[in-house]
């Protein structure tokens, strides 16, 4: 059964209310098994419009499923993207309130600061590097609204790719000074090392990951705008945290970024 406009609005309200009320819900495809990836992106866009109407604004994009291992685990063969909004940006010196979240996890990423508009369907990693002003260390907090983190690909796309919060480190580095695939990162929780990785874990090169997003956006007549922030994808697995925990990501050349939870 084709997903109608009315059904899309029902899904948007379902997910919007779940996020606002900080509660888990059963995955969308249990009720709407015919939800396709393309329709899920339509839902995602409408969900973002609902948030913008409530007072936030769009400030960029984030990539998901950029790890080949995670793609194989999910049985998919391409990444996904979600949209970042101003209310997701958290400050490193302010604790994150756990009551605003459901079952959060943190993952280290390289953030791109876009210096010029970039749109098309044949964009390369080199194009992304030319358009990027700076890169920085980042931690993204993902927080799926779905019960027990159980969902299909269409479910997670509709849910804006589990986007919740993100923190940017204070050190901004011109991208041409770096070899992004070789940038190493150590992710720690309460001073205990939890995971390590390098930029190459993100589709082989974080710039290639961002190029994929631009091309995917281009298919929908969209693109990156000057001033956008792009989170290029998780370098390690995501780790769960609770009130009282501190998460730190230490990057080669980019310094560190941390979050604390209360």
């Amino acid at each position: 059964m084709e997903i109608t406009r009315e059904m899309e609005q029902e899904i948007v309200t379902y997910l919007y209310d779940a996020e606002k009320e900080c509660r888990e819900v059963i995955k969308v495809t249990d009720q709407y098994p015919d939800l396709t990836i393309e329709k899920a992106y339509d839902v995602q866009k409408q969900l973002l419009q609902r948030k913008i109407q409530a007072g936030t604004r769009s400030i960029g994009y984030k990539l998901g499923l950029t790890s080949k291992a995670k793609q194989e685990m999910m049985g998919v063969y391409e990444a996904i993207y979600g949209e970042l909004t101003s209310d997701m940006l958290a400050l490193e010196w302010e604790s994150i309130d756990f009551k605003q979240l459901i079952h959060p996890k943190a993952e280290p990423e390289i953030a791109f600061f876009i210096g010029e508009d970039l749109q098309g369907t044949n964009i390369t990693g080199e194009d992304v590097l030319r358009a990027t002003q700076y890169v920085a260390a980042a931690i993204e907090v993902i927080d799926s609204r779905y019960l027990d983190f159980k969902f299909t690909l269409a479910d997670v796309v509709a849910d804006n790719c589990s986007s919740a919060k993100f923190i940017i480190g204070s050190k901004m580095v011109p991208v041409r000074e770096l070899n992004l695939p070789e940038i190493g990162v150590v992710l720690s929780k309460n001073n205990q090392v939890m995971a390590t990785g390098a930029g190459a874990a993100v589709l082989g090169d974080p710039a290639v990951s961002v190029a994929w997003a631009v091309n995917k956006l281009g298919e929908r007549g969209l693109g990156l705008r000057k001033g956008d922030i792009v989170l290029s994808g998780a370098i390690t697995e995501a780790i769960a945290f609770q009130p009282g925990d501190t998460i730190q990501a230490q990057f080669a050349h980019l310094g560190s970024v941390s979050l604390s939870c209360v």
Side-chain angles (χ1 to χ4, degrees), residues 47-104:
L47 181 62
L48 265 294
Q49 288 301 319
R50 180 79 64 89
K51 293 179 182 181
I52 288 167
Q53 289 168 7
T56 190
R57 59 189 176 87
S58 173
I59 59 172
Y61 292 90
K62 53 80 64 85
L63 278 293
L65 294 181
T66 50
S67 156
K68 293 297 184 185
K70 192 175 284 188
Q71 287 181 8
E72 290 173 7
M73 185 174 71
M74 289 289 291
V76 299
Y77 301 99
E78 68 173 16
I80 54 178
Y81 71 82
E83 202 158 346
L84 301 176
T85 54
S86 54
D87 58 330
M88 294 178 191
L89 180 59
L91 301 175
E92 195 169 12
W93 54 89
E94 292 183 354
S95 297
I96 288 177
D97 184 356
F98 193 82
K99 292 195 298 291
Q100 296 178 352
L101 303 166
I102 301 169
H103 39 210

Side-chain angles (χ1 to χ4, degrees), residues 87-88 90 96 100-101 139-142 163-167:
D87 58 330
M88 294 178 191
I96 288 177
Q100 296 178 352
L101 303 166
I139 292 175
E140 185 187 7
V141 176
I142 56 173
S163 305
K165 298 286 184 183
F166 67 99
I167 302 100

